[in-house]
Amino acid sequence: YWQVVTSFHQSSSVDKAEELLREAIRLNPHVAEYYLCLAKVLVGRGQWNEAEETANECLRLLQLWGPACCDKRIKWEAKVAWAGGIIQQATKKEGPNRPF
């Protein structure tokens, strides 16, 4: 996760970013931020259904953990709003044409 949020800002590294995020989720499926970043990548790729499911799981975890989430660089409320925005984009099937 940390490698993705600090290093992957180019579309050429999207496959690796997705791979790392999926591995992070596999290793620890209880961290909302992993799902949030993966949902962002999926929206950028136009994978609307999976992006919506992933963002919904992020919201579920955010509600479960509350502000005690792992990454304190972004406020809890902002993460909730970001996940909601991704769900809205996925539902409307519109969003950025780039994953980052």
Side-chain angles (χ1 to χ4, degrees), residues 7-36:
S7 302
F8 291 92
H9 300 289
Q10 300 173 0
S11 59
S12 62
S13 40
V14 172
D15 291 336
K16 185 66 175 172
E18 182 178 347
E19 176 187 326
L20 290 170
L21 290 165
R22 289 186 187 281
E23 179 67 5
I25 289 169
R26 186 188 70 74
L27 293 171
N28 187 355
H30 309 291
V31 180
E33 288 89 340
Y34 301 169
Y35 293 92
L36 185 60

Side-chain angles (χ1 to χ4, degrees), residues 1-8 17 20-21 23-25 31-38 70-74 79 82:
Y1 163 77
W2 190 247
Q3 187 178 359
V4 172
V5 298
T6 59
S7 302
F8 291 92
L20 290 170
L21 290 165
E23 179 67 5
I25 289 169
V31 180
E33 288 89 340
Y34 301 169
Y35 293 92
L36 185 60
C37 287
L38 180 58
C70 296
D71 191 342
K72 302 294 185 208
R73 295 171 311 127
I74 302 172
K79 293 174 194 175
W82 190 4

Side-chain angles (χ1 to χ4, degrees), residues 33-69:
E33 288 89 340
Y34 301 169
Y35 293 92
L36 185 60
C37 287
L38 180 58
K40 184 177 186 304
V41 168
L42 295 170
V43 161
R45 289 185 153 188
Q47 294 175 257
W48 310 115
N49 293 334
E50 189 177 0
E52 184 176 1
E53 291 170 10
T54 304
N56 274 315
E57 180 61 11
C58 172
L59 277 179
R60 186 188 75 77
L61 290 168
L62 287 170
Q63 291 171 348
L64 181 68
W65 288 97
C69 299

